[in-house]
Amino acid sequence: MKRNFKLIRLIITAVILSPASMAIAQSSPKYLSQPLIKTIYTADPSAHVFNGKIYIYPSHDIDAGIPENDNGDHFAMRDYHILSMDNINGPVTDHGVALDIKNIPWAGRQLWAPDCAYKNGTYYLYFPVKDKNDVFHIGVATSKNPAGPFKAEPQPMKGSFSIDPAVFTDTDGQSYMYFGGIWGGQLQRWADGKYDANGSKTDLKKDDEPALSCKIAKLKPNMKEFDGPVKDITILDSNGKPLLGKDHNRRFFEGSWMHKYHNKYYFTYSTGDTHYLAYAIGDHPYGPFNYKGIFLKPVQGWTTHHSIVEFKGKWYMFYHDTQLSGKTHLRNIKVTPLTHNADGSIAMIDPFK
Ligand code: FUB
């Protein structure tokens, strides 16, 4: 009996130490956190606390069989599912289809990263989608329930363009929309305020000029219209100079978010082709913002997109990677704690252990 145990131990040790199993161990990354939901592919999670629960407004990734390109044509999403959690480590509820592209009268294709806001008993779902001429605009849909279903307004928001709306409501009750994204998000085509269909397909290609800015618009009390002109969000370097177009490690690309901490405004965003999440701090929702650094190293997959939310006195970052599929356009959302250091900086997060 004893000899048999020894033999079994020897065999197990040999298997564990075999070159094949060591190769597997080396090649499978150790992720910082696990996908929140595995039954559908999800990305671009905008998280909010409504009625004491966490509601997540993600993109719903699908495989439409479209080849990958710099325009992002392979991100061909057609509806939104809203998710909720009672607790950060608790089960995740998928509330089903909250808005379908076929019910957005002006939509053509590609429902990208949404966000949601609440005011006076109504929830407002903001979403970017290409119109029937293949130009991105931002639409709004309403519901009395944070999980939907949502009903879309018949037209895009007047004066809106590009992608990735993030709506921040300040402590005084005023809401602002941050939006924009370069390359496939088409922000570079609006560089002169009007749409230029022949504009560059990626960025402005003006390396030594200030980089393209994320946009901000104040929202009217009806939450469906911009109140005044769209303005630029300026990110300054440590010399007080705007970041330049060639500064791909630091300049804004897409996926902005705003949170307020200790009376400072934290503008956070993706650097796109360099795959970082970066942050810049200011004293007003409009900025200017002083560049501070990166706080999320590159995740698995090309895109990186996040939101930051306080829940029960702790801060969390929702983000995505491609752990489940290994494919750029089939992503899965995750959550991890986020730490503000005593000096106001954000502690670096490594998506791998
Ligand atoms: O999900 C489509 C696009 O990918 C989003 O709008 C971007 O932020 C990027 O995550």
Side-chain angles (χ1 to χ4, degrees):
M1 198 59 173
K2 237 181 175 174
R3 272 185 59 176
N4 276 353
F5 271 136
K6 241 184 170 172
L7 190 66
I8 291 167
R9 247 202 347 249
L10 260 173
I11 293 169
I12 291 171
T13 314
V15 169
I16 289 172
L17 294 180
S18 73
S21 60
M22 284 173 79
I24 290 169
Q26 275 167 14
S27 65
S28 45
K30 290 209 164 31
Y31 299 94
L32 175 65
S33 44
Q34 291 300 311
L36 287 175
I37 180 164
K38 295 184 175 173
T39 45
I40 55 172
Y41 291 112
T42 52
D44 310 324
S46 293
H48 292 275
V49 178
F50 295 133
N51 310 322
K53 275 187 179 196
I54 300 172
Y55 284 87
I56 311 166
Y57 300 83
S59 299
H60 174 200
D61 284 353
I62 52 166
D63 192 358
I66 298 172
E68 196 167 323
N69 59 25
D70 282 350
N71 260 344
D73 286 342
H74 46 306
F75 296 109
M77 298 82 105
R78 302 194 55 82
D79 64 22
Y80 294 117
H81 283 226
I82 291 158
L83 312 175
S84 69
M85 302 159 86
D86 288 339
N87 288 299
I88 216 77
N89 295 315
V92 176
T93 304
D94 175 355
H95 295 271
V97 176
L99 180 63
D100 193 301
I101 198 165
K102 66 175 191 272
N103 296 322
I104 304 170
W106 56 275
R109 62 177 182 138
Q110 296 183 292
L111 271 181
W112 282 13
D115 193 18
C116 189
Y118 169 80
K119 189 169 181 136
N120 295 341
T122 301
Y123 295 86
Y124 297 84
L125 180 71
Y126 299 95
F127 56 88
V129 68
K130 282 181 180 163
D131 65 14
K132 298 188 195 300
N133 296 314
D134 238 18
V135 181
F136 268 118
H137 293 281
I138 294 165
V140 59
T142 55
S143 175
K144 292 290 175 196
N145 185 328
F150 282 85
K151 182 166 172 39
E153 293 292 305
Q155 298 292 334
M157 291 175 75
K158 199 166 168 222
S160 73
F161 52 89
S162 196
I163 59 164
D164 290 1
V167 173
F168 164 72
T169 301
D170 205 348
T171 32
D172 63 1
Q174 177 61 55
S175 297
Y176 304 85
M177 181 186 288
Y178 297 81
F179 63 96
I182 62 175
W183 293 32
Q186 302 180 340
L187 188 60
Q188 66 283 353
R189 297 189 182 176
W190 295 87
D192 297 324
K194 275 190 271 141
Y195 184 70
D196 175 8
N198 300 315
S200 164
K201 285 211 152 55
T202 55
D203 51 28
L204 272 187
K205 301 203 179 297
K206 292 182 181 166
D207 277 359
D208 293 311
E209 293 188 16
L212 273 160
S213 302
C214 178
K215 305 295 171 195
I216 180 171
K218 194 169 149 185
L219 293 181
K220 284 190 179 172
N222 68 14
M223 300 293 274
K224 294 177 181 173
E225 289 172 278
F226 292 166
D227 190 358
V230 168
K231 295 185 178 172
D232 285 339
I233 290 294
T234 307
I235 308 173
L236 304 173
D237 66 14
S238 54
N239 296 315
K241 296 263 176 346
L243 298 182
L244 299 181
K246 66 181 170 198
D247 194 349
H248 290 212
N249 279 331
R250 299 192 295 176
R251 59 93 170 90
F252 168 78
F253 188 103
E254 64 184 3
S256 62
W257 191 257
M258 170 57 61
H259 77 278
K260 194 174 182 180
Y261 178 76
H262 285 183
N263 245 9
K264 295 280 182 194
Y265 295 85
Y266 285 68
F267 176 70
T268 46
Y269 59 96
S270 162
T271 64
D273 56 336
T274 47
H275 317 289
Y276 297 123
L277 288 185
Y279 72 108
I281 301 179
D283 291 316
H284 191 277
Y286 288 111
F289 296 94
N290 297 308
Y291 178 84
K292 294 294 177 188
I294 66 167
F295 67 97
L296 179 68
K297 294 182 182 175
V299 295
Q300 179 182 309
W302 201 98
T303 65
T304 184
H305 191 121
H306 75 299
S307 62
I308 294 170
V309 69
E310 188 179 16
F311 183 60
K312 296 187 178 165
K314 293 195 171 135
W315 288 88
Y316 297 93
M317 177 188 67
F318 286 76
Y319 66 110
H320 70 224
D321 66 16
T322 58
Q323 179 180 340
L324 289 179
S325 74
K327 293 184 179 156
T328 306
H329 64 295
L330 297 177
R331 300 160 290 179
N332 48 260
I333 61 164
K334 298 184 163 186
V335 63
T336 193
L338 176 131
T339 304
H340 298 92
N341 297 315
D343 64 359
S345 60
I346 301 180
M348 180 71 79
I349 301 171
D350 187 335
F352 300 101
K353 283 183 193 161

